[in-house]
């Protein structure tokens, strides 16, 4: 029986595309049941639609505008996602912190892709922070990890960690390109490892 995943995005979706491509090439034997986006403008939604994958746009702003809480948002999102009973939820550029009220519905079956080494640059803009730290002479390398999702942001147990070198000749753009290339490989490896497929 094919294992079923749901992919969460908020933007470009190049990592979603890497998963789609791996499935279509037969490298990854699973099915994307749904792509969830926190942004209606996310290009990843176009990628999903082109691949025939159902999408759910679930922005936070209507909740904020209605004076509702992040918990209410998370509970409603969890109830929608639970209907699919996924084997795994993959956060691939999902830019919202999920509360325990969401996480606890899915029995630790949530993983997140983060463009930094464990404990190096948690949160948003990790690649930029790494580049600036390199320019200050504070680090010589960065990396990519996929980790289990727990309430503490980017503190979950890593599944895969891959170091990424930074060169003196790098610009932020060349470093971003190198990191994204590693991400597209690691995200597929992590799904295979987690699902043991
Ligand atoms: N409970 C968890 N939720 C999420 C995790 C996690 O490890 N535990 N990983 C993140 C992904 N992520 C880094 O890898 C990350 C994304 C976004 C933020 C953040 O500060 N978001 C702000 C909004 C920022 C914005 O709108 O630009 C927020 O949620 O208020 C931190 C880390 C996904 N969720
Ligand atoms: N803290 C989470 C975070 O920074 N995630 C990062 O968002 C990008 C999404 O790219 P994509 O939309 O092209 O897949 C990726 O670089 C991913 O590591």
């Amino acid at each position: 029986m094919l294992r079923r995943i749901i992919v969460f995005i908020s933007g470009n979706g190049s990592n979603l595309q890497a998963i789609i491509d791996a499935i279509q090439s037969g490298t990854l034997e699973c099915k994307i049941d749904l792509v969830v986006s926190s942004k209606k403008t996310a290009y990843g939604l176009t990628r999903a639609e082109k691949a025939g994958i159902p999408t759910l746009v679930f922005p936070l702003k209507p909740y904020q505008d209605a004076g509702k809480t992040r918990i209410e948002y998370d509970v409603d999102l969890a109830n929608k996602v639970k209907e699919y009973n996924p084997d795994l939820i993959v956060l691939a550029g999902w830019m919202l912190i999920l509360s325990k009220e969401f996480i606890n519905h899915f029995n630790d079956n949530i993983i997140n892709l983060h463009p930094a080494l464990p404990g190096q640059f948690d949160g948003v803009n990790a690649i930029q922070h790494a580049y600036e730290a390199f320019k200050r002479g504070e680090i010589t390398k960065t990396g990519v990890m996929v980790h289990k999702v727990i309430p503490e942001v980017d503190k979950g147990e890593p599944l895969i960690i891959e170091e990424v070198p930074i060169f003196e000749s790098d610009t932020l753009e060349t470093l971003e390109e190198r990191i994204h290339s590693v991400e597209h490989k690691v995200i597929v490896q992590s799904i295979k490892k987690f699902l043991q497929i």
Side-chain angles (χ1 to χ4, degrees):
M1 184 72 174
L2 267 186
R3 312 299 288 280
R4 297 172 299 101
I5 71 175
I6 291 179
V7 182
F8 280 36
I9 64 168
S10 296
N12 180 31
S14 70
N15 284 282
L16 166 64
Q17 191 65 58
I19 299 167
I20 291 170
D21 293 348
I23 291 171
Q24 291 180 346
S25 69
T27 306
L28 181 60
E29 293 187 3
C30 68
K31 178 174 180 287
I32 302 174
D33 267 359
L34 180 71
V35 169
V36 179
S37 177
S38 63
K39 300 282 187 185
K40 66 180 178 181
T41 56
Y43 183 67
L45 291 167
T46 300
R47 296 178 191 268
E49 287 152 11
K50 285 181 177 178
I53 300 168
T55 60
L56 169 65
V57 178
F58 204 76
L60 176 61
K61 191 173 186 300
Y63 284 74
Q64 294 172 320
D65 292 349
K68 293 184 177 182
T69 68
R70 287 289 291 266
I71 302 299
E72 289 176 286
Y73 172 85
D74 279 10
V75 167
D76 288 351
L77 178 56
N79 286 330
K80 286 185 178 291
V81 170
K82 278 170 66 178
E83 291 173 17
Y84 291 81
N85 190 31
D87 296 302
L88 175 62
I89 295 172
V90 182
L91 309 185
W94 175 258
M95 299 310 283
L96 294 177
I97 297 172
L98 294 168
S99 63
K100 65 182 184 331
E101 284 77 11
F102 180 92
I103 295 167
N104 290 346
H105 284 279
F106 299 102
N107 302 318
D108 295 333
N109 293 329
I110 310 172
I111 62 176
N112 175 62
L113 171 68
H114 185 59
L117 296 173
Q120 192 184 44
F121 300 107
D122 296 340
V124 297
N125 301 321
I127 301 174
Q128 183 177 340
H129 291 315
Y131 182 72
E132 291 166 354
F134 172 78
K135 287 297 185 186
R136 292 194 300 269
E138 296 168 0
I139 62 172
T140 60
K141 63 189 176 185
T142 183
V144 171
M145 68 169 169
V146 173
H147 61 88
K148 292 186 179 178
V149 171
I150 62 175
E152 297 74 22
V153 174
D154 295 333
K155 297 299 186 189
E157 174 195 351
L159 263 78
I160 293 184
I161 302 167
E162 183 161 333
E163 293 184 352
V164 177
I166 313 174
F167 304 116
E168 284 300 337
S169 58
D170 270 327
T171 63
L172 176 58
E173 291 70 27
T174 59
L175 178 59
E176 284 174 335
E177 189 176 333
R178 187 175 311 119
I179 286 178
H180 290 327
S181 175
V182 171
E183 287 184 320
H184 299 160
K185 176 187 65 173
V186 166
I187 191 79
V188 172
Q189 290 174 339
S190 298
I191 295 169
K192 287 166 76 81
K193 181 174 183 179
F194 187 92
L195 294 176
Q196 298 180 322
I197 54 178

